[in-house]
């Protein structure tokens, strides 16, 4: 097993020993405790699951690491690494202000799936970013076939803003077959996530991020499927989808969203199986979504809905000032 847990701030031998002990304990918990945290990872049969790349936020205690590894269904075949506050600050520089943030609890487990299988995203103790938004960010980054679990420990729920930085940090070491991810796409994905949350937190506190996610999902899907690139058409697209999603945009946020969509169009990205749009199925009880692509040829028979159904809401906070758990 490739051991990266505690690769910063610990000696190599100590890090490897800690990782071995924690994974062993996690496997025991996963095998002996029914339901609860261990159930998060039980989405596919063990025989069908590829080895996972697991990232653990550095602020988690040893007991919390054990809890998260159990939730992820960690095995001896999985790679485990630590993601630090410095890692997330570097990845989010110029995208999201991490001033005052001094901890990192968000953790992830990513397993590749067969090409064409689509995405499954589950969240656990993540209070702002919903699984819909993570799925959109993964597709934007060029990752279309994977199973992702984003989690924080029970005692320290997290916003989830920086969870994907760990996935992208380790991507070159465990890239999925058929994925088209690169640094530029990853940055666009992080920008999409951060801007969506910013828009959502300026709306009504109960479901603002949910409605903002609906707006960005619908706008980006139309951009991709209709190959919209003209600035005037992008402005109309944003106006229509904002109204349909019940999102109020001030001039600055409207301009930011239009600029992001324009850059996505200009990048001429390969959307692969998602070029014809996507279908999202939701399990609100499990905080899980499944996202599958539609081939572009299928658009003539089944056109994408202009406004997808409401994403399963995350318990969004009204702001992030002073919040240190990401």
């Amino acid at each position: 097993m490739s051991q990266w847990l505690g690769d910063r701030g610990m000696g190599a031998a100590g890090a490897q020993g800690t990782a071995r002990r924690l994974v062993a304990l996690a496997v025991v918990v996963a095998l002996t405790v029914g339901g609860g945290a261990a159930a998060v990872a039980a989405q596919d049969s063990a025989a069908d699951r590829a080895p996972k790349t697991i990232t653990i936020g550095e602020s988690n205690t040893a007991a919390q690491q054990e809890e998260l590894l159990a939730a992820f269904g960690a095995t001896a075949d999985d790679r485990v690494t630590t993601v630090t506050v410095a890692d997330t600050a570097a990845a989010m520089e110029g995208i999201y202000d991490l001033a005052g943030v001094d901890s990192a609890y968000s953790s992830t487990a990513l397993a590749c799936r067969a090409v064409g299988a689509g995405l499954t995203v589950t969240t656990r103790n993540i209070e702002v970013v919903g699984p819909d938004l993570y799925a959109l960010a993964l597709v934007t980054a060029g990752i279309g076939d994977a199973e992702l679990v984003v989690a924080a420990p029970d005692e320290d729920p997290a916003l989830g803003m920086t969870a994907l930085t760990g996935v992208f940090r380790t991507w070159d070491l465990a890239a999925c077959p058929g994925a088209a991810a690169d640094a530029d796409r990853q940055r666009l994905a992080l920008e999409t996530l951060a801007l969506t949350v910013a828009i959502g937190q300026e709306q009504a506190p109960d479901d603002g991020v949910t409605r903002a996610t609906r707006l960005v999902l619908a706008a980006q899907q139309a951009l991709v499927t209709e190959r919209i690139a003209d600035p005037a058409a992008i402005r109309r697209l944003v106006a229509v989808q904002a109204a349909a999603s019940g999102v109020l945009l001030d001039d600055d946020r409207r301009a930011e969203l239009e600029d992001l969509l324009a850059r996505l169009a200009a990048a001429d990205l390969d959307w692969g199986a998602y070029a014809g749009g996507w279908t999202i199925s939701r399990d609100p009880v499990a905080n899980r979504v499944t996202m599958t692509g539609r081939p572009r040829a299928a658009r003539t028979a089944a056109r994408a809905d202009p406004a997808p159904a409401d994403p399963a809401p995350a318990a969004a906070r009204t702001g992030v000032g002073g919040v240190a758990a990401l």
Side-chain angles (χ1 to χ4, degrees), residues 31-57:
L31 291 174
T32 59
V33 179
V40 173
Q43 298 171 26
D44 299 317
S45 69
D48 295 334
R49 183 178 294 129
K52 297 178 290 293
T53 298
I54 296 173
T55 67
I56 302 290

Side-chain angles (χ1 to χ4, degrees), residues 15-153:
Q16 290 188 4
T18 298
R20 290 191 186 97
R21 288 191 297 273
L22 288 172
V23 170
L25 285 169
V27 171
V28 171
V29 171
L31 291 174
T32 59
V33 179
V40 173
Q43 298 171 26
D44 299 317
S45 69
D48 295 334
R49 183 178 294 129
K52 297 178 290 293
T53 298
I54 296 173
T55 67
I56 302 290
E58 70 169 339
S59 303
N60 291 289
T61 65
Q64 289 173 329
Q65 292 175 31
E66 176 187 334
E67 173 192 338
L68 290 167
L69 289 168
F72 294 146
T75 73
D77 293 327
D78 297 333
R79 300 185 182 193
V80 183
T81 186
T82 298
V83 175
T84 69
V85 174
D87 292 331
T88 60
M92 300 298 282
E93 184 176 3
I95 298 175
Y96 183 77
D97 185 7
L98 292 178
V101 174
D102 59 2
S103 62
Y105 289 98
S106 298
S107 302
T108 65
L110 182 80
C112 299
R113 303 179 74 186
V115 174
L119 292 168
T120 298
V121 181
T122 305
T123 60
R124 173 185 183 274
N125 296 330
I126 301 299
E127 297 192 327
V128 169
V129 182
D132 301 65
L133 185 50
Y134 284 127
L136 178 62
L138 288 177
V139 170
T140 302
I143 304 169
D145 302 293
E147 178 184 344
L148 174 68
V149 180
V150 182

Side-chain angles (χ1 to χ4, degrees), residues 184-207:
D184 291 338
R185 289 191 72 154
Q186 291 170 7
R187 185 171 180 85
L188 285 169
L190 293 174
E191 288 187 60
T192 298
L193 186 150
L195 179 57
T196 302
V197 171
I199 291 171
Q201 291 181 325
E202 292 169 355
Q203 311 301 311
D206 291 340
D207 66 346

Side-chain angles (χ1 to χ4, degrees), residues 183-318:
D184 291 338
R185 289 191 72 154
Q186 291 170 7
R187 185 171 180 85
L188 285 169
L190 293 174
E191 288 187 60
T192 298
L193 186 150
L195 179 57
T196 302
V197 171
I199 291 171
Q201 291 181 325
E202 292 169 355
Q203 311 301 311
D206 291 340
D207 66 346
V209 175
T210 296
R211 287 185 282 119
T213 299
R214 182 168 64 245
L215 160 62
V216 178
L217 272 167
Q220 189 161 320
Q221 180 164 232
L223 186 87
V224 172
T225 59
E226 306 299 338
R227 304 183 187 183
I228 298 172
D230 177 69
I234 291 175
R235 284 194 295 272
R236 289 193 297 272
L237 172 63
V238 169
V240 168
Q241 296 302 339
S245 304
V247 173
L248 299 176
L249 295 170
D250 63 24
D251 291 343
D252 290 340
R253 290 301 187 204
R254 185 181 301 275
E256 287 182 77
L257 182 54
E258 290 172 359
D259 174 69
L260 176 61
L261 293 172
R263 286 186 289 117
L264 283 168
D268 193 24
L269 302 177
D270 177 7
W271 295 95
Y274 295 84
W278 44 78
T279 300
I280 298 177
S281 60
R282 300 178 174 90
D283 182 347
V285 175
N287 289 324
R288 180 179 305 137
V289 302
T290 299
M291 187 174 191
T292 53
R294 294 204 294 262
R296 188 175 294 278
R299 294 282 295 162
T300 57
R303 299 185 64 82
D305 296 334
D310 287 355
R317 298 176 182 175
T318 57

